[in-house]
Amino acid sequence: MKILIVEDEPAMVELLRYNLESEGFDVVSAHDGEEGLLALEEEQPDLLLLDWMLPGVSGIEICRRVRRDAKQAGLPVIMITARGEEQDRVRGLDVGADDYVSKPFSPAELLARIRALLRRRNPDVGAEKLKVSDVELDLVAYRVRRGDRELHLGPTEFKLLRYFMERAGRVLTRDQLLDGVWGQNVYVEDRTVDVHIRRLRKALNEAGESDLIRTVRAVGYCFERA
Ligand code: CA
């Protein structure tokens, strides 16, 4: 899961980055509003941590724009602020933030809120079994079924399918798949993604079932919910 931090205090960014990365999240950051809006487009994060007081475009304004943008409307947003007043809390939630933490806050509290929010948005995150359409992926037993049929996947196809299922219904770019499945510091060619998608499709659709992986021309792939 990728988290975008938009925050102008470098020390706060580093504290958040350290805590989130130790919990296994991928972290990207922006230090002002304009950069934040750009990063939202380019990075397509799974959750946004947004500082209220930013130079340039404010956190409130970013939140408003996120909620107006059809592509990002479902993005979970947590506002971070130095102001603890009830009135500001209400205003933050008014413009569409899902949750709110006031500085100073404990990293443990923030992590708990992040997890709760991600679970609320996608109950499958952190679960032992994922189920989308007629595909069931068991993360403990390491087994995959489509309907009554057991699928035999290689380790990369298994990771790829898991990544897709946790983000079902979202269009994922090749870059997102590369970062999410192979890791950010690994050099893999774009066409490697296509090779593994082809293998995954073959295993999934072996019995002539409908293709659950939709190719979105010039963008990437989407795992269909139904
Ligand atoms: Ca600030």
Side-chain angles (χ1 to χ4, degrees):
M1 290 277 146
K2 189 194 273 187
I3 298 186
L4 170 63
I5 305 170
V6 186
E7 161 69 82
D8 57 319
E9 284 170 55
M12 179 59 82
V13 174
E14 283 324 298
L15 174 78
L16 292 171
R17 179 187 292 279
Y18 174 80
N19 281 285
L20 293 168
E21 284 182 348
S22 353
E23 291 296 312
F25 291 106
D26 291 327
V27 176
V28 282
S29 59
H31 67 268
D32 64 35
E34 274 81 13
E35 216 182 276
L37 288 169
L38 214 71
L40 272 172
E41 280 291 322
E42 285 176 357
E43 302 283 351
Q44 301 182 23
D46 299 296
L47 184 137
L48 172 62
L49 274 183
L50 185 57
D51 185 26
W52 178 297
M53 298 289 280
L54 290 168
V57 186
S58 73
I60 289 275
E61 181 54 28
I62 292 181
C63 195
R64 241 187 232 124
R65 290 198 203 175
V66 164
R67 289 298 176 249
R68 275 199 305 251
D69 182 341
K71 281 204 307 287
Q72 293 167 341
L75 180 71
V77 178
I78 298 181
M79 296 276 291
I80 302 174
T81 180
R83 314 164 169 212
E85 289 145 32
E86 193 58 24
Q87 210 182 337
D88 293 330
R89 185 187 158 81
V90 171
R91 217 178 131 208
L93 298 175
D94 254 7
V95 292
D98 297 283
D99 206 348
Y100 188 101
V101 286
S102 303
K103 294 175 192 170
F105 54 85
S106 78
E109 184 200 342
L110 178 63
L111 281 164
R113 284 172 185 243
I114 288 174
R115 282 201 205 91
L117 189 49
L118 288 173
R119 255 198 313 274
R120 208 156 75 216
R121 286 298 163 106
N122 183 354
D124 283 342
V125 171
E128 292 179 348
K129 275 187 187 171
L130 304 176
K131 190 161 185 349
V132 179
S133 182
D134 56 350
V135 179
E136 194 174 276
L137 184 143
D138 187 327
L139 294 162
V140 179
Y142 231 73
R143 293 167 79 154
V144 186
R145 307 183 69 83
R146 179 159 193 193
D148 297 330
R149 186 164 58 88
E150 178 120 16
L151 269 56
H152 301 282
L153 301 180
T156 303
E157 284 71 41
F158 188 90
K159 275 165 82 177
L160 188 59
L161 180 61
R162 176 185 180 173
Y163 194 82
F164 266 129
M165 288 176 76
E166 285 178 340
R167 293 160 184 79
R170 270 176 59 180
V171 178
L172 302 167
T173 64
R174 278 191 186 77
D175 281 345
Q176 276 178 300
L177 292 168
L178 278 172
D179 284 357
V181 177
W182 281 267
Q184 263 164 325
N185 302 313
V186 182
Y187 179 75
V188 191
E189 285 180 67
D190 275 8
R191 64 183 184 85
T192 306
V193 177
D194 300 331
V195 169
H196 287 279
I197 291 208
R198 205 175 308 137
R199 282 189 200 154
L200 178 58
R201 266 186 172 140
K202 203 173 159 209
L204 276 173
N205 310 330
E206 194 187 343
E209 294 111 325
S210 63
D211 190 0
L212 294 170
I213 303 173
R214 178 164 56 95
T215 303
V216 184
R217 194 185 284 265
V219 183
Y221 299 97
C222 176
F223 195 86
E224 305 279 21
R225 278 195 182 281

